[in-house]
Amino acid sequence: MFRKFSLGMAAAVMAVAPTAAMAATYGFNLNLVVAVNCTVQHQPTGFGAISGDAVSLGSFREYCNAPTGYDLVINYAPGSLEGTRIIAGNDEIILNGSGQAILSRASGPRIRERPIAAVPGDNGFDTDRFELRIVPS
């Protein structure tokens, strides 16, 4: 009788043990830090083509993974390009000769490619320095 009881008790323990082990939950937290990476790449395809008053400057690809967004800034020689209109996709600005202007703003991470063109001001293209850069917000 004792043997039957021990065998029955062992069977009950074996049946309950896997259920108790499977009922336990396991978890972990994973935190990653991703470095902010922003780039602008110019593609000269179509450079110099004229459409109306606008001269094609090619196209550019902007990439930025900054979670709070970024500004796309144009740097050029101060005192030059005054009155020049820059057109990049749907964004358009007129340069005031200060040497720097914000072409567009993004409120979060973004990847996009856009054509860029310029309509010269009264002094024409009076500099050889023109740069696009991304400044994370």
Side-chain angles (χ1 to χ4, degrees):
M1 174 92 152
F2 181 71
R3 214 184 238 184
K4 286 182 183 178
F5 178 75
S6 293
L7 191 57
M9 183 61 111
V13 167
M14 296 284 275
V16 173
T19 305
M22 293 180 80
T25 58
Y26 298 96
F28 59 91
N29 290 325
L30 179 63
N31 292 319
L32 298 174
V33 177
V34 177
V36 173
N37 183 21
C38 300
T39 60
V40 178
Q41 295 175 328
H42 179 252
Q43 302 293 324
T45 306
F47 188 88
I50 298 173
S51 176
D53 292 341
V55 176
S56 173
L57 302 176
S59 65
F60 65 96
R61 182 178 185 268
E62 62 190 83
Y63 165 82
C64 189
N65 67 351
T68 56
Y70 61 92
D71 294 339
L72 181 63
V73 177
I74 296 176
N75 290 328
Y76 56 98
S80 66
L81 298 176
E82 190 169 344
T84 298
R85 187 166 47 121
I86 304 296
I87 307 158
N90 294 328
D91 294 318
E92 185 176 318
I93 61 166
I94 297 177
L95 303 179
N96 62 9
S98 68
Q100 189 175 66
I102 296 174
L103 177 58
S104 64
R105 288 193 160 109
S107 59
R110 181 178 282 179
I111 299 173
R112 66 179 169 172
E113 188 168 330
R114 311 189 263 173
I116 186 167
V119 177
D122 292 338
N123 296 331
F125 295 121
D126 55 355
T127 184
D128 62 349
R129 182 173 164 231
F130 185 87
E131 173 190 53
L132 293 172
R133 67 184 176 96
I134 292 179
V135 179
S137 302

